[in-house]
Amino acid sequence: MDMEIQKRKGTQMAQQTQPTNRILTVPNAMSAARILIVPVFAVLYLRDHLVWAASALLASGLTDMLDGYIARRFHQITDLGKMLDPFADKLTQGVVALCLAIKFPAIRPLLLLFILKELLMLCCALLLLKKHKRPCAAQWYGKVATVMFYVSVAAIVTMDGLGLAQPHTINLWAYGLLGATGLMMAYAAFRYFQIFLSILRDGEEEKKPQAPRGR
């Protein structure tokens, strides 16, 4: 009897922690809100409403940090959320970097690095899906790179709003932020590529024919 109760409890706990196909969850709503914030930021920034643009970016960054915690804490991890969260991240980063690159040429190397990193990850994910394998979920270094991106961009937007940054003369510490963010992005891309190779090789060894053993 005790064994049956323990099995039922284990089954219930496993069901709670397994991904679900629900759509209407708080984390999914937060990811959708981040997607909607992207065009708002672009319009505000390109029209030189810099305080409001920085506020929109800050709100986007806060929801990005909270949605993953809420999903894990309250067992609201869903298949839709696994797609919405990274899509919202990449869309935000790409549009923000593009907006800044229009005004600040110094941002363009970071934008190029971002594009290369995302193209690499997209190609890896498509290859895994083609082989009927699931791409990995977001890791801590990916989140750190995202947070550093938000901090760097928000700092430059704020400096621009205060008149402390000019398109061709960004302060030295701003270059330091951009450099650190670029290094973290490169590290995250490297680690994700390692995971991609591990997932790709998983099961391949078992499929290889084994040589017959001699007696």
Side-chain angles (χ1 to χ4, degrees):
M1 183 64 69
D2 291 339
M3 291 292 294
E4 277 186 43
I5 294 174
Q6 290 179 358
K7 285 182 180 179
R8 287 178 185 176
K9 286 183 178 179
T11 303
Q12 290 175 355
M13 290 177 65
Q15 289 175 348
Q16 287 178 346
T17 56
Q18 286 177 351
T20 68
N21 293 321
R22 289 182 296 168
I23 295 176
L24 299 177
T25 65
V26 173
N28 288 354
M30 295 174 78
S31 295
R34 295 212 318 276
I35 295 173
L36 295 176
I37 287 175
V38 171
V40 174
F41 167 84
V43 171
L44 290 172
Y45 183 75
L46 294 177
R47 291 186 178 181
D48 288 328
H49 300 301
L50 302 178
V51 175
W52 288 106
S55 300
L57 192 63
L58 179 61
S60 179
L62 289 175
T63 57
D64 182 39
M65 290 187 288
L66 288 174
D67 63 356
Y69 170 77
I70 293 174
R72 292 187 296 271
R73 177 67 178 80
F74 297 100
H75 307 295
Q76 294 185 358
I77 299 174
T78 65
D79 293 333
L80 177 62
K82 290 180 179 180
M83 294 185 292
L84 276 181
D85 182 55
F87 176 73
D89 285 346
K90 307 317 173 191
L91 181 64
T92 301
Q93 293 176 18
V95 171
V96 170
L98 180 61
C99 288
L100 286 174
I102 292 173
K103 192 170 185 179
F104 295 95
I107 303 291
R108 291 171 189 173
L110 185 64
L111 177 62
L112 179 61
L113 177 62
F114 170 79
I115 293 173
L116 292 175
K117 169 179 170 288
E118 296 310 317
L119 284 177
L120 174 64
M121 293 183 65
L122 177 62
C123 292
C124 291
L126 290 176
L127 182 58
L128 288 178
L129 291 174
K130 185 178 179 180
K131 291 182 175 291
H132 305 289
K133 295 183 178 183
R134 182 173 295 181
C136 72
Q139 303 297 317
W140 68 266
Y141 33 83
K143 286 294 183 181
V144 170
T146 300
V147 171
M148 290 179 66
F149 176 85
Y150 280 121
V151 170
S152 300
V153 169
I156 293 174
V157 171
T158 302
M159 288 170 59
D160 186 17
L162 296 174
L164 300 176
Q166 298 299 324
H168 297 282
T169 57
I170 299 181
N171 290 4
L172 183 61
W173 65 272
Y175 278 112
L177 281 174
L178 292 175
T181 302
L183 288 174
M184 194 64 203
M185 280 186 174
Y187 174 74
F190 174 73
R191 292 296 303 273
Y192 278 127
F193 188 68
Q194 284 184 317
I195 295 177
F196 159 74
L197 291 177
S198 176
I199 296 174
L200 190 63
R201 292 169 180 168
D202 186 30
E204 295 296 330
E205 297 294 331
E206 298 177 2
K207 294 180 182 179
K208 289 183 180 180
Q210 296 182 354
R213 297 180 179 178
R215 293 185 179 180

